[in-house]
Amino acid sequence: MTKALFPSSINIVEVGPRDGLQNEAPVPTQAKIELINQLSLSGLTHIEAGSFVSPKWVPQMADSQQVLTQITRHVDVCYSALTPNVQGLELALQSNVDQVAIFTSVSESFCQHNINCSIEDSLERFSPVIKLAKQNGRPIRGYLSCVLDCPYEGETSPQRVKEVTKRLLDLGCYQVSLGDTVGTGTPLRVESMLKEVLSIAQPEQIAVHFHNTWGQALANVYQALRMGIHTVDSSVAGLGGCPYANGASGNVATEEILYLCQGLGIETGADLERVARAGWQICRQLNKSPTSNVSIALQSQLKL
Ligand code: HMG
Ligand code: MG
């Protein structure tokens, strides 16, 4: 295999403070702030710092406003947050987020469980969110869940992923992040799904977001990189999961992506040691170990 198959650099969207911590035992606001401050100094350029969803649905994210207003912002870092509706967007704007993200699903059942409406209704709900975000100069990212499998409906059709991705792009998302929410995907299925999506979208309009439940996330990222995708979502220490996808584990660990990219000669701009330190610190707070083998290997090497 030659290096020419891969992009020369990739963008990492660090979702640990949101996707990670939304599905862990609650941690104090100050611990979140310290995590984000540490990650901000690691060379990562996009950190999803919170989520303006209903605190009744996801209490772990109830302090997102405090988090976003108390972090020490680094000029080179984009701090984003999830905003499912105008109510969430208004709170996000008050917290001065740099960018927002809307989220829906390819699966009707997951959509109902996750955001309490149909796919069609979710897209309708996003129109005023996108309009207001644009008026306020905030780029909008879209998330699409269950792009390979749904916890309620089983296998997803790549054709359907293509259709809903197109709807999100047409609505005004600059990029759609394709989520293997349950983490059951394998590289050949990723390839079929991405082939379909890339027939209507440019590679820079697409990101991949793989949960690691069955240990395939890194192989799936490798597959996506080979197909020209150059934005990857990952979570420090492999934290988290989705509260509405029972049993799903965290995203692919940022440390694993950084180590893989080092080996492939792909530039990420981020410092693996600093990310691993931040990961160990938040894991101590959570009273657990990182799920990432790279973090575990680095612990003894660096005495983290
Ligand atoms: P709903 O109950 O249908 O909304 O929830 P509603 O408009 O009827 O409002 C009900 C109550 O919620 C009201 O309060 C609202 O004020 C409040 P009450 O009058 O009962 O006291 N409310 C809010 N409060 C704060 N912020 C808001 C907000 N909106 C309403 N923004 C809603 C609809 C979407 C809000 C709800 O279903 C929700 O919050 N869902 C969140 C689900 C979630 O966060 N899931 C995890 C993130 S998605 C994910 O992890 C997948 C991803 O990682 C990709 C992948 O892996 O596939 C992105
Ligand atoms: Mg996720």
Side-chain angles (χ1 to χ4, degrees), residues 18-19 22 52 54 56 85 87 114 116 145 181 209 211:
R18 191 282 300 174
D19 201 340
Q22 76 180 6
F52 292 90
S54 163
K56 287 182 194 148
N85 51 21
Q87 193 177 339
N114 196 35
N116 205 23
S145 288
T181 317
H209 178 108
H211 285 262

Side-chain angles (χ1 to χ4, degrees), residues 47-52 68 79-83 92 97 99-102:
I47 300 175
E48 199 167 68
S51 181
F52 292 90
L68 270 143
Y79 298 92
S80 64
L82 296 191
T83 55
V97 291
Q99 190 179 118
V100 296
I102 54 175

